[in-house]
Amino acid sequence: MKCEQVQQALCLPEESMMGRWRSLMANHHVANCQTCTDFQSNLGLIDRGAIGLRTVNFPVELRSHIAARLSTTDSAAGRISRASDASRQNPAGRRALTLTFAAGMIGLLLVANLHNNPANAALKRMQEAVAVVKNARTRLFSKQADGTLHQFEEEWYQQGKWRKEGDYGSRLIVGNTYWHYIVKEHRLVSMRETGVQRSEFSLDALTRGLMRANTHYTSQTLSEEKHGDSILRLVLLEPADEKQRDPNFRNLYWIDERTHLPARLEGQERHGANWAPTWRVEFEFNLQLPKTLFDPQHLSEGVTKVS
Amino acid sequence: MIEDEKRIVRRFLSSEQGGFESLYDLYGLRIYRFCQRLCRNPSDAEDLTQEVFLAAYVGLHKFQGRSSIATWLYRVALFRWRRTSGAPSPHLISMEDASEKDMMSPDTASGELNRWELERAISRLPDSLREAFLLIKVEGLTSREAAEVLEIPQCTVKFRVHQAIVRLQKELQLIESECREVTGNEKGDGNRGVMAFLPGGVQ
């Protein structure tokens, strides 16, 4: 038997359907072939590792999101029991709330139905302003069991570099290189980034993957709030198609009228007559950031304070 | 199709209370897990999982029961992912690629594999190999079920799984050497080189 035949059989032993004679031949081959012995040894590690990958952080709120979307589909309402709503109260899926998701809401602007109204004009100006920022700091929050918001991630962007600090650990993305400090192993690793991590900061980059939603949105100004020297315009963004709207959820932007940059993005859930945040992203732009923030050698030191 | 699955599909399609929950309880985690590894991103995986269950709602009445619901849902996930990610048709590995040198098996690790390194190695596989590996080794499908999902012959599935494992061994070795380059250390030794000056209690 050739190595390849033996190794293929080893990969799927329960399905190889080798007869007793061929099985003996394969065993004999492995016993006398260092290549196949090594292959079998490594295969065992990979098999055990693959089984270990069956445990994932399963976002609890996903059920309610799907249920909400199904309930807006024709005649689907009866298929969704209100039991699904209970999962909305469970914040355990906060890990799923990534910047991609949060910033993705910005991306909705790109497919927004831009009518000539003040809210849409503000969104359009914001889109242009974000594209030319020098740097950015974002802080991501999600709702805890007690209803309070917990910050689980903080990110900084500058000159094509992303620094991330939070529940996923300390990470740095420079071009297509991804650095990660593994606390438990006290080890710094870097590798070629093949996923969808970003090394640029623009609405287009932030919204990658969301464009497929192909949904049209409308916006309206809810209020204007004074914060220090700034006036923040509070803009409600919702699907143009009323069937796609969820009366119990809404997404809001706070846009700084002076800089045209977003100050906050928030998802809110209805509680009777009131609205309460379920997640939030806070933005700051054009800050003085220390160089060490983007130095992989300093990745393990964490971030204590950034002005 | 087993009786439970028939009942779940019937409940889901006939607007029975809890029909969606039953379907989701049985397959939600598996489909999300598969989507996450296809997309390499939790946020996109959530979107894709939503699409799968919406597609199930719209198209489950076409489900003829020749395969399991799980297989059908995996297939929906896979083809939607290929379409939305702009992935080209499956990358075919020619037999020439499977040269003898690829059969050489590096000793990738002396202990158990680091989960993160394995994830990274899997993410570097060509799509066609990654899909086959995930379905068989992570999702636990048989090669026949995986062949139904991928719509390719069973023998091709087996070939791809084997190729995936060969390449994974090489990738794991490469990742390990990358780690050594960065840390200047052997794997698992955090007390020397770059890491030597790091405070022990960093969180």
Side-chain angles (χ1 to χ4, degrees):
Chain A
M1 293 177 84
K2 291 183 179 175
C3 289
E4 188 177 350
Q5 290 175 302
V6 172
Q7 290 176 11
Q8 278 196 25
L10 291 173
C11 287
L12 293 162
E14 69 281 8
E15 295 185 40
S16 61
M17 302 294 284
M18 285 194 295
R20 179 173 171 74
W21 177 241
R22 282 176 64 80
S23 181
L24 284 172
M25 281 175 65
N27 288 339
H28 181 262
H29 176 103
V30 172
N32 293 284
C33 173
Q34 190 57 45
T35 300
C36 288
T37 302
D38 290 344
F39 180 90
Q40 188 176 36
S41 168
N42 291 330
L43 175 64
L45 286 173
I46 290 172
D47 277 346
R48 289 194 293 279
I51 289 169
L53 297 184
R54 290 178 184 172
T55 54
V56 292
N57 287 321
F58 190 32
V60 178
E61 77 281 5
L62 182 57
R63 174 198 291 265
S64 64
H65 291 168
I66 297 173
R69 285 188 65 182
L70 282 177
S71 66
T72 60
T73 308
D74 285 345
S75 73
R79 296 176 198 187
I80 315 302
S81 79
R82 289 295 93 195
S84 295
D85 289 339
S87 62
R88 286 181 178 163
Q89 307 304 322
N90 191 333
R94 65 192 164 92
R95 284 177 180 278
L97 180 63
T98 63
L99 179 63
T100 306
F101 171 70
M105 299 313 297
I106 299 176
L108 299 176
L109 302 176
L110 298 179
V111 289
N113 199 9
L114 291 174
H115 296 298
N116 186 22
N117 76 36
N120 281 334
L123 293 172
K124 196 167 189 308
R125 284 196 299 272
M126 183 180 83
Q127 183 180 333
E128 291 164 0
V130 168
V132 294
V133 294
K134 179 179 125 195
N135 60 38
R137 175 195 191 192
T138 59
R139 294 191 296 152
L140 290 83
F141 302 81
S142 67
K143 193 174 81 172
Q144 297 283 83
D146 62 3
T148 60
L149 288 180
H150 160 71
Q151 179 183 316
F152 67 92
E153 184 89 325
E154 190 164 3
E155 304 178 321
W156 298 265
Y157 166 83
Q158 186 166 280
Q159 293 180 322
K161 299 172 182 175
W162 273 101
R163 170 67 186 273
K164 296 161 180 272
E165 193 80 27
D167 289 0
Y168 291 111
S170 303
R171 289 145 291 146
L172 179 64
I173 302 164
V174 181
N176 62 354
T177 304
Y178 179 84
W179 304 75
H180 185 198
Y181 175 63
I182 303 172
V183 176
K184 196 190 284 184
E185 299 175 24
H186 202 45
R187 197 155 62 97
L188 180 66
V189 296
S190 83
M191 50 198 51
R192 189 177 70 241
E193 175 53 50
T194 56
V196 292
Q197 300 282 359
R198 305 169 304 276
S199 60
E200 51 191 319
F201 192 91
S202 68
L203 285 174
D204 187 45
L206 291 170
T207 57
R208 197 177 297 149
L210 275 205
M211 298 302 290
R212 67 169 177 265
N214 198 27
T215 304
H216 289 273
Y217 285 77
T218 59
S219 62
Q220 58 173 298
T221 302
L222 294 186
S223 66
E224 289 186 352
E225 303 169 1
K226 194 162 170 41
H227 283 260
D229 295 339
S230 304
I231 294 176
L232 299 183
R233 181 191 291 267
L234 178 55
V235 175
L236 170 68
L237 198 68
E238 55 188 356
D241 183 355
E242 289 188 8
K243 285 181 182 173
Q244 292 189 30
R245 293 180 192 171
D246 185 335
N248 295 314
F249 284 97
R250 65 179 190 177
N251 298 310
L252 301 169
Y253 273 106
W254 280 257
I255 303 173
D256 189 325
E257 281 289 90
R258 185 170 52 86
T259 63
H260 307 308
L261 289 165
R264 179 189 291 181
L265 169 60
E266 193 167 284
Q268 295 186 343
E269 186 178 35
R270 185 191 291 277
H271 287 276
N274 300 318
W275 293 89
T278 55
W279 53 265
R280 176 186 295 165
V281 186
E282 292 185 350
F283 300 93
E284 290 175 84
F285 297 95
N286 302 322
L287 305 164
Q288 289 293 324
L289 301 179
K291 283 185 179 177
T292 53
L293 199 58
F294 303 101
D295 182 348
Q297 302 302 328
H298 291 262
L299 203 53
S300 64
E301 295 171 359
V303 176
T304 52
K305 186 177 174 68
V306 176
S307 61
Chain B
M1 188 163 59
I2 60 175
E3 192 55 36
D4 271 359
E5 286 192 337
K6 281 183 182 169
R7 190 168 50 79
I8 287 166
V9 171
R10 201 167 51 239
R11 287 183 68 197
F12 183 61
L13 291 177
S14 63
S15 302
E16 271 187 48
Q17 190 85 344
F20 162 72
E21 283 77 8
S22 300
L23 191 74
Y24 189 81
D25 284 345
L26 262 181
Y27 304 114
L29 171 63
R30 292 169 69 182
I31 295 302
Y32 171 78
R33 185 173 62 201
F34 184 56
C35 292
Q36 193 192 59
R37 299 227 158 75
L38 285 178
C39 300
R40 306 177 177 105
N41 174 304
S43 181
D44 287 347
E46 285 191 36
D47 288 349
L48 184 55
T49 307
Q50 287 194 33
E51 286 182 30
V52 171
F53 281 94
L54 287 172
Y57 170 69
V58 174
L60 207 56
H61 64 280
K62 296 177 192 166
F63 177 67
Q64 297 176 335
R66 287 192 213 130
S67 60
S68 69
I69 302 177
T71 306
W72 189 77
L73 292 173
Y74 279 126
R75 189 160 62 233
V76 172
L78 183 71
F79 282 83
R80 290 209 163 231
W81 172 72
R82 283 179 182 170
R83 196 177 65 195
T84 57
S85 69
S89 53
H91 177 71
L92 297 175
I93 307 298
S94 70
M95 294 302 291
E96 286 73 20
D97 286 344
S99 58
E100 191 63 29
K101 66 180 170 54
D102 279 349
M103 299 299 141
M104 298 303 287
S105 309
D107 182 13
T108 53
S110 53
E112 291 301 308
L113 286 179
N114 176 305
R115 176 189 173 111
W116 190 64
E117 289 175 358
L118 182 57
E119 293 263 27
R120 303 304 304 176
I122 292 170
S123 77
R124 292 179 182 185
L125 290 175
D127 288 343
S128 60
L129 303 188
R130 191 158 56 98
E131 291 161 3
F133 179 84
L134 289 175
L135 288 169
I136 297 276
K137 293 295 183 183
V138 180
E139 298 306 320
L141 269 58
T142 64
S143 60
R144 183 178 172 184
E145 289 169 329
E148 284 174 8
V149 173
L150 296 166
E151 297 186 343
I152 55 175
Q154 207 171 336
C155 59
T156 308
V157 172
K158 291 178 179 177
F159 173 76
R160 288 184 185 179
V161 170
H162 172 235
Q163 284 302 299
I165 288 166
V166 170
R167 293 211 182 187
L168 275 180
Q169 293 182 0
K170 293 172 74 175
E171 286 293 346
L172 286 165
Q173 195 176 46
L174 186 63
I175 287 170
E176 191 177 17
S177 65
E178 286 172 352
C179 292
R180 281 181 188 150
E181 272 179 36
V182 173
T183 62
N185 288 317
E186 293 300 309
K187 185 180 177 186
D189 184 351
N191 299 317
R192 293 175 293 165
V194 172
M195 312 310 292
F197 61 89
L198 299 176
V202 173
Q203 291 299 317

